[in-house]
DNA sequence: ACGTCCATGTCGTGT
DNA sequence: ACACGACGTGGACGT
């Protein structure tokens, strides 16, 4: 009805609306939803998502924060700074539920790539006798190498760590190796592709390029003391 | 042409539950959510997702269909065939809302990569005078090349079409070119990287590898008749 | 079932 | 702001 201007504070409330509506999105692409019953989920972060009763957790349409919802009668317009627009036209409200959920303590994860890398950094001799860590996230012009290590003979080795080893990871390591091997101060650099699971194509491509593949056992690694402690 | 997924009828209801709960996921990784108020969204497709009041449309935890929800008192266990488990322990139910949304007519999209590829296939002379289409999705052992075309001199050209041109796309085209150029019947094959927007690094890498970069204007292409019609 | 690739990917991190 | 890489990526499509 009336235009809203100035700073908008979101109610600390999740808002669930069941409504018969149609939706149009114009942004990175254009998309249209014909009139039908849907769930509109408006979160305290300002996000709006339009759900049907399928597609798992993915909405049919959505707008991510930061964005702004303007309710003008039965036309709800959600817009972001980039000019993307989500226009929801309400034909009929079916039901609505609001509630303040309070603070979210946060999700705790274990077993992501960072943990693998951390464990392998502590246990580089998993890769071979006499191996030692130079550093994690070794910086290069095209991004950091997961682990830079020395083998038993003092040769340099670049290690790419993945949970799941696929083609992309091999390409990534290949780019690093190309770059590192152009530097006469550090060349020659060998490559190691280390992952919990390595897809056959990735293994083939890697070995075709002279990259050694190592399969990691996260549970075993988690149970093993760091290299330093094992010296005693 | 249009991304229409036909209407699907589900017999059940969307179920919205506000509850104080804790959640544990054990599967591809392990994750834990301490006790707090959350939105549980159970869809007719069987999916379960646990939302806080932020994170845009992404749930904190979820299980995708096909999966099965077992409610045993205040302990809800969702499980899939791979043995991944989501255990939701309910401390208190706050509110609940159920409704049969009925059939979803389906989302219609316009402007995805497939449309770009389709338009460029009709207008290959955008790439150069005398260019002609051999075929879309030209099959190779490592996947289909978006467009295979002939240039004005009868030389073969492999085209990779992207909405946004990034490094991955260049790597992808490079793999195709390597493979195609090993086949004496078709070699030499030139590469063209065509996208609505090409990132500077992708452009640099592509041109370093002798791949030509072409920026596409989707709106303009949509307004242009196919090559065949323009011959008259 | 596996491989490949697109996605309004989203999200964090470092520059 | 941009670039880069991880993600329980998810999902579609082809073999």
């Amino acid at each position: 009805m009336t235009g809203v201007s100035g700073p908008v504070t979101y109610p600390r409330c999740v808002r669930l609306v069941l409504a018969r509506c149609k939706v149009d999105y114009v942004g990175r692409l254009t998309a249209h939803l014909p009139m039908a019953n849907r769930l509109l989920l408006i979160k305290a972060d300002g996000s709006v998502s339009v759900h049907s009763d399928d597609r798992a957790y993915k909405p049919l349409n959505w707008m991510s924060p930061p964005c702004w919802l303007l309710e003008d009668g039965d036309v709800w317009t959600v817009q972001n700074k980039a000019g993307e627009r989500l226009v929801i036209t309400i034909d009929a409200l079916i039901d609505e539920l609001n509630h303040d959920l309070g603070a979210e303590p946060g999700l705790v994860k274990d077993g992501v790539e960072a943990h693998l890398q951390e464990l392998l950094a502590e246990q580089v001799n998993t890769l071979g006798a006499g191996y030692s860590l130079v550093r994690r996230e070794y910086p290069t012009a095209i991004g950091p190498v997961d682990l830079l290590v020395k083998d038993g003979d003092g040769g340099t080795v670049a290690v790419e760590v993945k949970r799941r080893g696929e083609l992309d990871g091999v390409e990534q390591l290949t780019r690093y190796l190309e770059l590192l091997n152009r530097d006469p101060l550090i060349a020659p650099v060998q490559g190691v592709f280390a992952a919990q699971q390595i897809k056959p194509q990735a293994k083939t491509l890697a070995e075709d390029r002279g990259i050694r593949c190592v399969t990691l056992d996260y549970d075993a690694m988690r149970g093993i003391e760091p290299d330093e402690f094992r010296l005693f």
Side-chain angles (χ1 to χ4, degrees), chain A residues 40-141:
Chain A
L40 309 177
L41 171 55
I42 300 106
K43 288 190 175 184
D45 64 4
S47 64
V48 176
S49 37
V50 181
H51 285 267
S52 61
D53 216 351
D54 57 0
R55 290 178 56 123
Y57 68 71
K58 193 114 205 264
L60 294 159
N61 266 317
W62 69 92
M63 193 70 75
S64 297
C67 63
W68 299 271
L69 168 60
L70 171 67
E71 294 179 42
D72 182 7
D74 55 359
V75 180
W76 299 9
T77 302
V78 196
Q79 196 162 355
N80 67 10
K81 206 178 291 191
E84 295 174 72
R85 271 163 169 268
L86 190 68
V87 180
I88 304 170
T89 306
I90 309 280
D91 181 57
L93 290 170
I94 299 166
D95 209 337
E96 181 160 353
L97 183 55
N98 297 274
H99 196 84
D100 179 359
L101 291 180
E104 170 54 53
L107 181 66
V108 185
K109 288 184 182 182
D110 176 46
V112 296
E113 189 197 284
H115 304 150
L116 260 188
Q117 188 195 116
E118 194 175 350
L119 284 171
L120 188 58
E122 290 173 350
Q123 304 170 24
V124 281
N125 59 17
T126 306
L127 301 176
Y131 275 54
S132 63
L133 181 67
V134 176
R135 73 164 286 185
R136 290 173 58 188
E137 303 289 350
Y138 179 87
T140 75

